[in-house]
Amino acid sequence: MQPAAAALLALIPLRLLNAWLAGVADCDETYNYWEAVCLLAAPHPFRRPLQTWEYAPEFALRSWAYVLPYAAISRIVDNSFLAVRLCAVALPFALAEASLVKGMEKRFGPDAGWILLGLLASSAGHAAAAPALVPSATICALAAWSQGRWLKGDRRGAVFLAVLATLWPGWPFVAVLFIPLAVDVLLKDGLREALRLGVASGLFVLIPCA
C-alpha cells in the first residue's frame, strides 16, 4: 500500500473521530462562527440566534462569506451541528492532509510520504484543528491542499487554493505562506502567467464573496 492510500484510510476515520469526540474549545468559535452559521441557517425568525457585534454593519469586522457555505450545508442537514462538523469541517481537513501526503510521496518518494503521514496522524495541533470552525483551521487545510497540489506539479490548482486561503476566511496576511509558490510560478511560468492565474483566481473567489 502506498502512503497516499494509507493516508485516506487512516486520516479520514481519525479526523471524523476527532470531530465526534472533541468539544468546542474556543469561545470565539462558538459565538463568532457557529452562532453566525446558526443565524443564517435558522428556518424560523423566533428561533434565530443572536448576531455578534463583529458582524454588525457599523463594525463589519467579520465577513459573512466565510460562514455562508457552512450555513447552506446546515440547512441541508436540518441544522445538525454534528453533521456539519463531520462532513463540512473534519472531512475536508482529512482530504487536504491526504493530498499533502500524496504530493510529498510524488515529489520525494514513498519514505517521505510515510514519515509525513506519521507526523500528521500523531499531531496534536491537527487533531485540535480538524474539527474547528475557525479561519486558522480552514487556512491550515487549504494551505496543506495547496502545497499538495504544488508538490504534484499542479501550479494552477495550487495558486487557486492559495488565493482561496488568503481571501475567503478573511485573513489576508496568510499570503506570506505562499510566497515560495509565487516565486516558483514566476520562475517557471513567467510574470504574465503568474498575474493571469492570480487575477483569475482572485476574481473567482471575490465575486461570490462581494
Side-chain angles (χ1 to χ4, degrees):
M1 181 180 292
Q2 296 299 310
L8 289 172
L9 293 176
L11 292 174
I12 290 177
L14 182 60
R15 298 311 175 211
L16 293 179
L17 184 64
N18 290 152
W20 184 277
L21 297 178
V24 179
D26 186 357
C27 64
D28 193 46
E29 179 183 1
T30 301
Y31 295 109
N32 283 308
Y33 298 106
W34 283 114
E35 187 82 359
V37 167
C38 293
L39 179 64
L40 294 177
H44 303 295
F46 64 86
R47 292 172 56 188
R48 291 174 68 83
L50 298 174
Q51 175 185 278
T52 55
W53 67 271
E54 290 93 339
Y55 290 94
E58 57 266 36
F59 301 106
L61 292 181
R62 301 191 191 278
S63 171
W64 291 103
Y66 174 62
V67 296
L68 187 59
Y70 299 102
I73 295 169
S74 182
R75 292 292 291 269
I76 294 171
V77 298
D78 197 26
N79 299 324
S80 169
F81 163 76
L82 188 58
V84 175
R85 199 181 205 203
L86 290 171
C87 300
V89 181
L91 180 59
F93 195 99
L95 294 175
E97 291 178 302
S99 175
L100 182 58
V101 172
K102 186 175 181 179
M104 181 69 76
E105 177 189 356
K106 182 173 181 179
R107 179 66 179 84
F108 297 106
D111 289 345
W114 284 116
I115 292 171
L116 177 60
L117 175 55
L119 292 172
L120 292 173
S122 60
S123 170
H126 275 229
L133 181 60
V134 289
S136 56
T138 303
I139 290 166
C140 178
L142 289 172
W145 215 333
S146 175
Q147 298 295 322
R149 300 305 304 178
W150 184 23
L151 289 169
K152 285 181 278 189
D154 179 14
R155 290 188 293 278
R156 291 184 178 182
V159 167
F160 173 75
L161 289 164
V163 172
L164 183 64
T166 302
L167 298 178
W168 173 45
W171 284 19
F173 48 82
V174 302
V176 297
L177 292 173
F178 305 108
I179 290 175
L181 171 62
V183 171
D184 189 49
V185 173
L186 280 170
L187 292 177
K188 292 181 178 177
D189 298 318
L191 178 60
R192 182 175 180 179
E193 179 67 8
L195 289 174
R196 188 185 70 83
L197 284 176
V199 171
S201 299
L203 291 175
F204 190 85
V205 174
L206 285 176
I207 289 175
C209 293

